[in-house]
């Protein structure tokens, strides 16, 4: 029976690695199950970091699984007559397995520092050196993304703002800054195709930025369990040319004004 368990444990790394390779190679049955299309030049850095960490942890996972299998196989009680030896641990071993993971984590922390600074601390600037103003403000609330564009005057927060739910449009090939905030609880603003994810914390003023280099329609997702309706807190990101974007925004603005100024039908006199 001991051999059964060792073989069963051996299937864990084999099935694990097999499924990853299956998905990564985009083979039939697993089409589209790996990372979604990346449309952000900055996203390549995120993807390479992801793959680096995946390979590193994958190698350690396979190695420890094989060692586990080997010990189960070798010391199977029904075939191994040698009596059990007890020991009180090894100081050297403990030092080694504390220092190795600590050094690895430190290496990853230093290795990804630039990518982190670019994604979370840097903000695009205008030619004159000032910070690029946000194109829109995205407010997460249970359970939708409220999106507000500055109207004609380019200033957010006055009466000509354009307000929309779950429909974010941005121009392609431009650095886009979004102001993000939450109206109620923790949410996470996630644009999978741009490799952008940011927790939205109530009470905090936050910004995200990206540059989309392909036009199309993509997902906006909430990546933080935020209540019963979390699953339906999704929106649509449309990346389009500058001209299409301007036309769309203009149309939204006109429609909103028309809605505001259309008199409600009163009772007939
Ligand atoms: Cu949410």
């Amino acid at each position: 029976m001991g051999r059964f368990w060792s073989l069963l444990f051996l299937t864990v790394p084999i099935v694990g690695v097999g499924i990853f390779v299956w998905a990564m190679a985009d083979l039939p049955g697993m089409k589209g199950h790996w990372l979604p299309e990346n449309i952000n030049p900055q996203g390549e850095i995120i993807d390479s970091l992801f793959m680096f960490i995946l390979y590193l942890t994958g190698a350690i996972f396979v190695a420890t699984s094989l060692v586990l299998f080997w010990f189960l196989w070798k010391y199977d009680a029904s075939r191994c007559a040698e009596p059990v030896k007890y020991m009180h641990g090894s100081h050297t071993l403990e030092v080694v397995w504390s220092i190795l993971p600590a050094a690895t984590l430190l290496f990853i922390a230093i290795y990804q520092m630039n990518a982190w600074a670019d994604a979370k601390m840097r903000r695009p600037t205008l030619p004159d050196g000032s910070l690029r103003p946000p194109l829109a403000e995205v407010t997460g609330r249970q359970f939708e993304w409220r999106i507000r564009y500055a109207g004609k005057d380019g200033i957010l927060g006055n009466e000509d703002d354009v307000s929309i739910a779950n429909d974010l449009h941005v121009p392609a090939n431009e650095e886009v800054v979004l102001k993000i905030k939450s109206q109620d609880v923790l949410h996470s603003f996630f644009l999978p195709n741009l490799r952008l994810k940011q927790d939205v914390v109530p009470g905090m003023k936050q910004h995200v930025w990206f540059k989309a280099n392909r036009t199309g329609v993509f997902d906006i997702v909430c990546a933080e369990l935020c209540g019963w309706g979390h699953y339906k807190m999704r929106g649509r990101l449309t990346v389009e040319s500058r001209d299409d974007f301007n036309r769309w925004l203009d149309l939204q603005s006109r429609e909103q004004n028309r809605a505001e100024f259309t008199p409600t039908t009163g009772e007939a006199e």
Side-chain angles (χ1 to χ4, degrees), residues 187 222 224 226 233:
H187 300 279
C222 179
E224 183 83 51
C226 58
M233 190 167 165

Side-chain angles (χ1 to χ4, degrees), residues 10-245:
L10 182 63
T11 60
V12 175
I14 294 173
V15 172
V17 172
I19 289 177
F20 266 86
V21 172
W22 186 12
M24 285 162 87
D26 211 24
L27 294 171
M30 274 285 196
K31 287 243 177 262
H33 278 65
W34 195 238
L35 302 179
E37 184 196 10
N38 171 38
I39 58 160
N40 182 0
Q42 197 68 21
E44 285 161 26
I45 301 165
I46 307 291
D47 281 359
S48 68
L49 270 172
F50 176 85
M51 292 310 290
F52 167 70
I53 294 171
L54 179 69
Y55 285 135
L56 183 73
T57 50
I60 295 167
F61 163 72
V62 170
T64 47
S65 300
L66 292 180
V67 170
L68 179 64
F69 156 72
W70 177 242
F71 278 86
L72 284 171
W73 183 268
K74 189 163 182 238
Y75 297 107
D76 174 7
S78 59
R79 288 165 201 248
C80 189
E82 219 182 304
V84 179
K85 283 197 238 63
Y86 291 97
M87 63 184 284
H88 291 284
S90 156
H91 190 66
T92 319
L93 254 183
E94 288 202 18
V95 169
V96 169
W97 74 46
S98 302
I99 287 179
L100 272 184
T104 312
L105 289 179
L106 192 67
F107 171 74
I108 295 174
I110 295 168
Y111 184 67
Q112 59 80 53
M113 222 142 70
N114 264 338
W116 181 266
D118 272 345
K120 304 291 183 190
M121 290 164 189
R122 207 195 122 211
R123 254 183 72 188
T125 48
L126 294 172
D128 67 358
S130 61
L131 287 179
R132 181 178 278 274
L135 178 79
E137 179 190 71
V138 179
T139 307
R141 63 177 205 185
Q142 289 171 321
F143 297 96
E144 64 175 2
W145 299 103
R146 282 251 140 227
I147 297 151
R148 201 150 59 112
Y149 287 89
K152 284 256 176 330
D153 60 358
I155 299 164
L156 265 171
N158 51 23
E159 56 289 0
D160 79 331
D161 286 358
V162 178
S163 229
I164 311 150
N166 301 321
D167 192 16
L168 177 65
H169 285 235
V170 299
N173 300 314
E174 280 182 39
E175 285 174 328
V176 172
V177 177
L178 299 174
K179 190 173 164 186
I180 59 170
K181 60 178 199 181
S182 166
Q183 192 180 308
D184 39 39
V185 299
L186 260 186
H187 300 279
S188 181
F189 183 64
F190 183 25
L191 304 177
N193 298 87
L194 288 145
R195 306 296 191 260
L196 183 147
K197 189 189 270 175
Q198 175 63 56
D199 276 5
V200 193
V201 186
M204 270 179 81
K205 286 182 187 152
Q206 297 164 289
H207 291 89
V208 292
W209 75 275
F210 57 83
K211 189 172 168 177
N213 59 10
R214 218 157 304 162
T215 56
V217 179
F218 307 96
D219 285 332
I220 303 175
V221 194
C222 179
E224 183 83 51
L225 187 58
C226 58
W228 68 268
H230 165 67
Y231 71 95
K232 61 174 185 175
M233 190 167 165
R234 60 203 304 261
R236 196 172 50 172
L237 168 73
T238 305
V239 183
E240 58 202 352
S241 68
R242 191 22 116 164
D243 287 345
D244 285 349
F245 171 74

